[in-house]
Amino acid sequence: MTVRRDFKEPARCRPDQVIGREELFTAAREQLGRGGSVLLHGPAGIGKSTVLRALAAEYGGAARTVLRCSPTESESHLPFLALADLLGLVLDEVSDRLPAAQLTALEAALTGRGESTLQRDGLALRLAVLSALRALAETGPVLVVADDLQWLDPASAELLGFAARRLGDTPVRMLFAVRTDGQEYDRHLRAAPPDTLAVRLGPLSRAQMSALLDHRGFTGLPRSTVRDIHRTSGGNALFALELGRALAENPTPPRPGEPLPVPTSLRALVLNRLEMLSEEARRTLLVASAGARPTLALLHAAGRANAEAETAQAAELGLLATEPEGPAVRFAHPMVSAALYAEAPAQERRAAHTALSTAASDPIERARHLALATTGTDPEVAARLAEAATLARDRGAPSVAAQLCLLAARHTPADGTAGAGTSATDDNAADVPAAARDAGPVRTAGLSPEALRLQAVDDAITAGELDLARDIAREVLARTSVPAERVRAWIAVIDTAGHAMTEVDAIFPQALADAGEDPQLLALVHYQLTWRALLVKGDFDEAREEAAYAAELAARAGDRYTELMALAFQAQIETLMGHPDAPATIRRALEEPQDPRVASHHNGAGYSRFRWLIMSDQLPEARAAVTALLREVRRHGWVESEVHFLRGVAETELHSGQCGRALDLARESLRLARDTGIGEVASAVLTSLAEAAGGEVDRALALAREAVEHAEEDGDQMYVSRALAALGHAQLVAGDAQGAVRSLRRVREVEQGLGITDPARGRWHGDLAEALVRSGELTEAQDVVDVTREQALRLNRESVLAVLDRAEALVRAARGERDTAVAQLTSAQDRLGKLGYGLEEARAAFALAQLRTGAPGPTSYDEAARLFRRCRALPWLRQVEAAAEARPAEAVPTPASAPDGLAGLDGLAAMERQVAALVMEGATNREIAGRLFISVKTVEATLTRVYRKLGIRSRVDIVRLAAGRRTS
C-alpha cells in the first residue's frame, strides 16, 4: 500500500516519545554508539520515521556533519537526486580536497550539467563520493540519514553503497529507514556498510498503542475503543493515530456493533484498488468484511456463488491474502476491511448482515448480524440478542456479552417486551430479516431496556471495561426513575471508581434515598459503605459493622449473593484487624447454599480464605487455593478478578522464594491492571516488592513512589501504608537505611491509625527494625521487635516471629552480644527454611555470614549466595558479591603463586571460586552467567579479579593451573 507523504508524523521527536519501541531504540542507539550503522525496516506507518528522527536527534549533536535525504516515490526516477540532497550543501567544503577528475564528475552529477552517467563516469563518480565522505570525516564524525530508502534513485543507491563498503574505520555512521512488507530488507543493505544492524519494527501491542494515543492527546478512550483501534489498525501507529483523530472529530461515537469511523485519508489507501473490482466482487468483499471469521464456505452460504474467482481477483490487487492452507479469507490489512465497510452504503451493509444472519454457524454471530441488519425496535431480535449474551457469558466472553446486551437494549421497545414471546409486527416486518420472522417466538424472561443495559454494566465490569460500564450506568440514571434500576446504576458508578472513592462520595446519599426502605437495595448500598469506611475514612471498626449490617439486610431480603459477599468482606476486614472472629466469619461465608458468582470473586470467601492461609504461613495451601481461583476466572473471562488473583499467585511465589516467577507474574498483573484501569496501585506495590527481590532495585523504587503518589491522590489510606511499606523495603535493599526508616515509620503511624494489628498483613516490621539498626537507633529497633512480637505471638504468626528474631539478632550484634546473635540467627534461618520462606531464609544466612566476617573461624558467603541463587534473588546476590569482595584484608587468605596450581583458589571470594570452577569445566561466559543467574558483565568483572589475585592473564591459564594440580 502507498501512504501519502502528508500522513507522516510531525518532524519533532525526542527519544522519550518513542512509545513501545524502547528495546529496539536501545539496540539501535548502542549500535550507533559503537560507531556502527542502522537500517530500520517495517511496513508503512509502523513508526520507522519516528524512531529514525529520535535517533538522528540524539546522535546529530555528536556528529560534526549530518547529511540528510528523504526521497519520494514520484522523484525516484531522477538520477543522483538523493546524492544531491546529501552532498549538495557540502560540496564547497570538500571540493579543494578532491582530485580534479573526481570533482568534475561529482559536480556534473549534483548539478545536472554535463549529463553525467554511471556508465560514462562510473569509477570517478564512485571514488568522488567515497573521497567526499572521507574528507568530511577528517574534521569530525559524519552521520548520514536517509528516510524512505525504498525510493532512493538507483544511481544514488549504487554510489552510496560503493562508498559504504570501503569506509572501514572512517567515522561515518549511516542511519536508514526503509518500507518493507516482510523480511525483504536485504537488497537495501547494499547501500549500507557491511556491519549494519537491521532492526525490524513490528506492530504495537494494545498497551503500547494505548500509551501512544494518550501521549498524542487522545486521552480517556474506553478500553473497548482502544481494543477496536488496535484491531482495526493492526498495531500500526500511523493508522491508530488517524483513527483516534477521526473519533475525536466525530461528535457521535459508534454504537455497539458498529465499526470505527475510518477517516477519508485512510480510505484513500484502498479505494483506488476497489474501483478496479467488479460490482459483484466488491459485494463479496463487503460480506467478508462484515463477517468475524470469513471463509469461502461462509461466503457461499451467504449467497456469493462466485466467491473463489472474486476473492482471487481481490488477492491479485493486494486487497486479500487467501491462506495457502485452509479455507480462511484474510484481508491484506485490517484497515482494508474497515475502509471497505465504511465506504459501503448503509443499505448494502444491512444486506450483508442479513445474509450472514443465516449463513453464520455460531449462534452469537447470527444474533449479532441479525441486530445489525435490523432497524428500529423489535422484540424478537432483542430476545435473540439476550440469549446470545447469556451464551457469550457462559463461554467466558463477558465483553462480547456486554455488547450484545447493549444491542438488545437498542432493539427492545420502550415498554420492555423483549423476550415476551411476541413476533415482529407487519409494520416492521420488511425491516426484519427472514431469520427472525421464520424462527418462531423466543421465550425468555422479559427484560426492560434499562435492565439489559444494567446487565451490560455487570458484564463490562467483569471484563475490566470500567469506562464503558460507567458510561452505561450514567445513561441508565438519565433514563430511569425505577428505584431498583437507579440503585444498581449508582452502585456501578461507585464500583468503577475503584479505590478512588473520594471522587464518588456525594453519590451515597442519593443511593440511600433511592433505596428507601427496601432491605435488598439497602444491603447493596451498605456493602459499598463498607468500602467507603475502609478506603476513605480508614476506620476498620466502622467497616466491619457496615459489612455485618449489609449481610443482615441481604439475608432478610433473601439476597444470598450480597449476603455472601458482605460476609466475605467482613472476614477480610477481621483478618486484617487480627480479630479473633475472622475464622468463624470465613466459615459462615463458606456455608451452603453458595452462589457460583461469589465462589471465584476477588472479594468472595475463596479469596478471604486465601488471605487467611497466606497470613497463617500455610504457603502450599495458599498457592493451591489462589491458583485454582485464577484458573477459574480465566475460564470465564473475568478480568477484574484475574488481576487480583495474579497478584495473589505472585505474592505466594514471592514468600516462597521463587523470585523469578513472582516477578513475571507481578509484571503481568501490572500490565493487565494498567490496560484495564483495575487495581493499578495494588499491582504497582506488588511489582515493586518483586523487583526488589528478583529484578531491578531502581525500578522497585520508581514503582513504589508511583504507588504512594497515586494512593495519596485517591485518599486510600490502606494502600498508602502498603505502598510506603514497598518503598521502605526497596530503600533498604538499595542501601538507603535512613530513607527506609522514614518510609516505614510512616507505615507504622498509618496502620496504628487504621487499627491494623496483624503484622502478617504487611510484613514490614522486620525491615524497619533492620533499617533502624543500620541507622544506629538500637533502642527503637528493639522496641519495634518487642511490640510486634507480642502481636505475632497472640496470632501465632510463626514466620513473622522468625523474621523478628533475625532483626533482634542484628540489634544484639550491634551491642556486642555476638554469640547470642549467631545462635538466634542460626535458629531463625532454620525456622524460615522449614516454613518455606526461601528469601527470608537466605536473608538470615546473609546476616549470619556478615556477622562472622572478621571473627576467628571460617568466614564464607557461600551459603547465602547459594540460597539467593536458588531464589533467583539477583539484587540480594549482588549484595553478597559486594560484601564478599569488601571483606577485611586479614580475612582473605594470600593468593598462592601460579606454580602452586589451584591452591590459590582458596583465597578467592565465593563468587570468584564458582566462576573459576566453571571456567575449568569449559563453560563460556554466557553459560556461566546463565548457570549463576548473573550478567555476562559480572562474569567478566569477576574473571578480571580472579586473574589479578592468581597472578595470571587469561582463562587459558586457569585451565593450565587445573591441569597442573591434577597431574601433581
Side-chain angles (χ1 to χ4, degrees):
M1 288 187 284
T2 301
V3 180
R4 293 198 340 235
R5 292 189 59 77
D6 60 347
F7 281 14
K8 290 196 171 184
E9 294 300 313
R12 286 173 39 188
C13 181
R14 301 189 309 275
D16 62 353
Q17 293 176 328
V18 184
I19 307 241
R21 308 295 189 190
E22 291 79 7
E23 291 185 11
L24 299 178
F25 186 86
T26 299
R29 181 170 54 191
E30 290 176 352
Q31 171 75 355
L32 291 170
R34 291 190 293 266
S37 297
V38 174
L39 174 73
L40 306 169
H41 66 101
I46 204 66
K48 303 179 300 297
S49 297
T50 301
V51 176
L52 179 134
R53 282 193 295 271
L55 289 167
E58 181 161 333
Y59 283 92
R64 167 67 174 76
T65 305
V66 180
L67 309 176
R68 301 176 186 271
C69 72
S70 185
T72 63
E73 182 179 12
S74 61
E75 299 169 341
S76 60
H77 65 286
L78 300 174
F80 308 123
L81 185 60
L83 189 67
D85 288 341
L86 290 171
L87 298 178
L89 296 178
V90 297
L91 182 60
D92 292 343
E93 185 179 338
V94 299
S95 59
D96 60 342
R97 285 176 279 177
L98 298 183
Q102 293 181 20
L103 180 60
T104 300
L106 185 58
E107 285 179 335
L110 298 184
T111 62
R113 296 192 299 270
E115 298 182 357
S116 176
T117 66
L118 279 178
Q119 288 74 23
R120 191 182 69 183
D121 303 319
L123 182 58
L125 197 50
R126 288 175 171 85
L127 291 174
V129 174
L130 177 60
S131 298
L133 291 173
R134 284 174 172 167
L136 289 170
E138 288 176 1
T139 59
V142 177
L143 178 64
V144 180
V145 182
D147 200 359
D148 283 324
L149 198 65
Q150 73 277 3
W151 304 134
L152 200 69
D153 62 272
S156 296
E158 168 62 25
L159 292 170
L160 202 57
F162 176 87
R165 291 188 293 274
R166 289 162 176 81
L167 284 168
D169 295 332
T170 305
V172 176
R173 288 173 289 188
M174 296 187 177
L175 175 59
F176 298 154
V178 61
R179 181 187 306 173
T180 56
D181 290 327
Q183 297 289 339
E184 69 286 0
Y185 60 88
D186 291 353
R187 63 187 179 91
H188 298 291
L189 288 173
R190 291 198 296 267
D195 63 344
T196 297
L197 173 68
V199 178
R200 175 167 177 78
L201 275 69
L204 295 174
S205 69
R206 189 193 301 176
Q208 291 167 344
M209 183 161 290
S210 177
L212 173 66
L213 291 166
D214 285 345
H215 186 77
R216 298 302 175 88
F218 303 114
T219 57
L221 292 174
R223 179 173 177 253
S224 56
T225 301
V226 174
R227 181 189 60 213
D228 291 342
I229 290 176
H230 184 257
R231 183 184 64 247
T232 303
S233 67
N236 186 292
L238 173 63
F239 295 168
L241 292 171
E242 288 294 316
L243 289 167
R245 190 170 293 114
L247 279 169
E249 294 171 354
N250 190 354
T252 306
R255 292 191 295 182
E258 291 183 343
L260 296 174
V262 180
T264 304
S265 57
L266 294 183
R267 294 189 198 187
L269 297 177
V270 295
L271 293 184
N272 58 338
R273 301 186 191 185
L274 287 174
E275 292 174 357
M276 302 171 66
L277 288 174
S278 66
E279 186 64 28
E280 289 302 310
R282 191 167 176 171
R283 288 180 178 173
T284 295
L285 286 196
L286 177 60
V287 174
S289 71
R293 295 172 295 276
T295 62
L296 289 173
L298 178 67
L299 294 176
H300 280 299
R304 310 311 302 166
N306 298 318
E308 286 89 350
E310 289 159 355
T311 54
Q313 181 188 1
E316 289 178 3
L317 293 172
L319 295 166
L320 279 185
T322 52
E323 299 291 346
E325 299 178 2
V329 175
R330 183 171 57 85
F331 283 91
H333 190 279
M335 190 59 69
V336 177
S337 174
L340 172 66
Y341 190 93
E343 187 66 17
Q347 185 176 356
E348 290 187 13
R349 291 190 210 172
R350 287 199 297 273
H353 288 296
T354 298
L356 289 168
S357 67
T358 56
S361 59
D362 185 81
I364 294 177
E365 277 301 298
R366 288 200 302 271
R368 187 179 72 87
H369 289 302
L370 183 63
L372 296 175
T374 305
T375 59
T377 61
D378 184 272
E380 289 294 337
V381 173
R384 296 191 194 289
L385 286 164
E387 282 188 338
T390 300
L391 181 58
R393 206 171 295 120
D394 292 341
R395 288 183 181 178
S399 180
V400 175
Q403 296 294 332
L404 290 168
C405 281
L406 289 176
L407 285 170
R410 195 173 89 195
H411 288 288
T412 299
D415 59 0
T417 56
T422 59
S423 300
T425 64
D426 293 339
D427 294 335
N428 64 12
D431 291 330
V432 180
R437 295 197 302 270
D438 299 340
V442 179
R443 298 191 177 276
T444 59
L447 295 173
S448 70
E450 305 320 318
L452 288 164
R453 289 187 178 92
L454 287 168
Q455 180 60 65
V457 167
D458 292 342
D459 290 326
I461 290 176
T462 300
E465 299 183 7
L466 303 188
D467 292 336
L468 175 63
R470 186 183 304 112
D471 291 344
I472 302 169
R474 293 199 178 278
E475 182 182 356
V476 170
L477 287 167
R479 288 172 174 268
T480 186
S481 59
V482 178
E485 293 175 346
R486 291 186 62 80
V487 170
R488 283 187 63 193
W490 286 126
I491 297 302
V493 174
I494 295 169
D495 266 344
T496 54
H499 285 222
M501 296 198 75
T502 52
E503 298 176 5
V504 294
D505 206 34
I507 287 177
F508 287 100
Q510 301 175 67
L512 285 169
D514 282 327
E517 300 296 325
D518 188 321
Q520 184 173 11
L521 300 181
L522 285 170
L524 295 174
V525 180
H526 280 280
Y527 177 73
Q528 294 297 331
L529 284 169
T530 303
W531 286 98
R532 177 179 177 273
L534 193 65
L535 300 179
V536 178
K537 302 175 71 175
D539 191 328
F540 273 62
D541 289 323
E542 181 180 335
R544 178 173 176 267
E545 291 173 4
E546 286 285 2
Y549 185 47
E552 178 188 333
L553 287 167
R556 195 189 310 164
D559 182 356
R560 184 62 173 164
Y561 173 84
T562 304
E563 180 187 6
L564 291 172
M565 291 291 290
L567 285 170
F569 197 18
Q570 180 184 342
Q572 286 196 47
I573 296 167
E574 291 173 347
T575 298
L576 292 173
M577 295 172 69
H579 198 285
D581 289 349
T585 307
I586 291 176
R587 286 193 294 272
R588 284 181 61 201
L590 291 171
E591 288 176 356
E592 296 295 338
Q594 283 291 314
D595 187 309
R597 296 172 296 169
V598 179
S600 300
H601 196 281
H602 55 276
N603 287 321
Y607 193 66
S608 297
R609 177 174 175 271
F610 159 72
R611 295 251 39 105
W612 177 260
L613 288 170
I614 203 168
M615 292 174 71
S616 302
D617 300 325
Q618 300 179 58
L619 296 183
E621 295 86 351
R623 180 188 288 110
V626 75
T627 301
L629 290 169
L630 179 62
R631 186 165 48 246
E632 185 68 11
V633 298
R634 280 178 165 169
R635 186 173 70 84
H636 287 289
W638 297 344
V639 177
E640 185 177 14
S641 292
E642 181 181 356
V643 175
H644 289 76
F645 296 153
L646 268 172
R647 286 201 305 270
V649 179
E651 182 183 354
T652 308
E653 299 295 355
L654 192 59
H655 286 319
S656 302
Q658 302 297 323
C659 299
R661 175 163 166 74
L663 183 57
D664 290 341
L665 288 164
R667 287 174 175 172
E668 183 182 355
S669 170
L670 184 59
R671 283 193 298 269
L672 189 57
R674 286 178 169 167
D675 189 23
T676 60
I678 296 171
E680 293 181 72
V681 172
S683 293
V685 166
L686 185 66
T687 309
S688 172
L689 293 170
E691 290 282 358
E696 297 295 334
V697 180
D698 287 344
R699 180 160 172 76
L701 289 165
L703 284 168
R705 291 188 176 108
E706 173 190 327
V708 171
E709 179 182 351
H710 289 169
E712 289 177 337
E713 287 176 359
D714 293 343
D716 183 349
Q717 291 301 299
M718 282 276 292
Y719 270 96
V720 166
S721 73
R722 301 200 70 169
L724 284 169
L727 177 59
H729 178 74
Q731 289 167 324
L732 183 65
V733 177
D736 180 10
Q738 294 290 339
V741 167
R742 287 192 298 272
S743 297
L744 296 173
R745 278 174 175 165
R746 282 191 62 196
V747 177
R748 182 173 58 188
E749 293 170 5
V750 172
E751 293 202 352
Q752 284 175 351
L754 290 171
I756 297 175
T757 60
D758 192 334
R761 182 257 184 182
R763 297 179 183 270
W764 50 266
H765 311 76
D767 284 346
L768 175 55
E770 183 174 337
L772 287 165
V773 171
R774 294 189 191 181
S775 302
E777 303 285 349
L778 302 185
T779 302
E780 184 181 350
Q782 186 63 55
D783 182 62
V784 169
V785 170
D786 292 340
V787 171
T788 310
R789 180 180 283 133
E790 182 180 349
Q791 298 166 340
L793 284 169
R794 176 175 62 85
L795 297 167
N796 194 30
R797 302 298 190 226
E798 288 294 329
S799 63
V800 174
L801 289 167
V803 168
L804 291 173
D805 280 355
R806 184 185 70 205
E808 187 175 46
L810 298 179
V811 176
R812 287 176 168 169
R815 289 173 171 167
E817 303 171 23
R818 181 184 173 279
D819 292 342
T820 305
V822 168
Q824 195 168 18
L825 275 173
T826 304
S827 171
Q829 179 184 343
D830 181 63
R831 286 151 56 204
L832 287 166
K834 289 177 179 178
L835 288 168
Y837 286 81
L839 183 58
E840 299 295 350
E841 176 192 5
R843 286 181 63 180
F846 186 25
L848 198 56
Q850 290 174 306
L851 187 57
R852 286 172 171 161
T853 299
T859 299
S860 175
Y861 287 91
D862 287 358
E863 176 69 359
R866 181 185 70 81
L867 292 173
F868 281 132
R869 260 196 308 278
R870 185 183 69 182
C871 296
R872 206 176 182 279
L874 303 185
W876 288 102
L877 193 57
R878 296 185 193 109
Q879 288 193 37
V880 173
E881 295 174 14
E885 184 66 19
R887 287 185 306 176
E890 62 271 15
V892 181
T894 303
S897 59
D900 292 332
L902 287 187
L905 290 187
D906 296 337
L908 300 180
M911 177 59 68
E912 293 165 352
R913 284 201 302 277
Q914 293 176 70
V915 170
L918 290 172
V919 168
M920 295 173 207
E921 296 176 11
T924 65
N925 287 2
R926 186 170 296 279
E927 290 169 341
I928 294 170
R931 290 172 67 174
L932 298 182
F933 298 109
I934 57 178
S935 68
V936 174
K937 289 185 178 179
T938 301
V939 174
E940 294 169 351
T942 304
L943 280 174
T944 299
R945 295 195 299 270
V946 169
Y947 301 155
R948 184 176 67 250
K949 290 182 178 181
L950 295 182
I952 59 179
R953 295 184 177 182
S954 70
R955 55 194 296 134
V956 175
D957 291 334
I958 296 179
V959 177
R960 287 173 179 166
L961 287 174
R965 186 177 190 182
R966 293 189 188 100
T967 58
S968 60

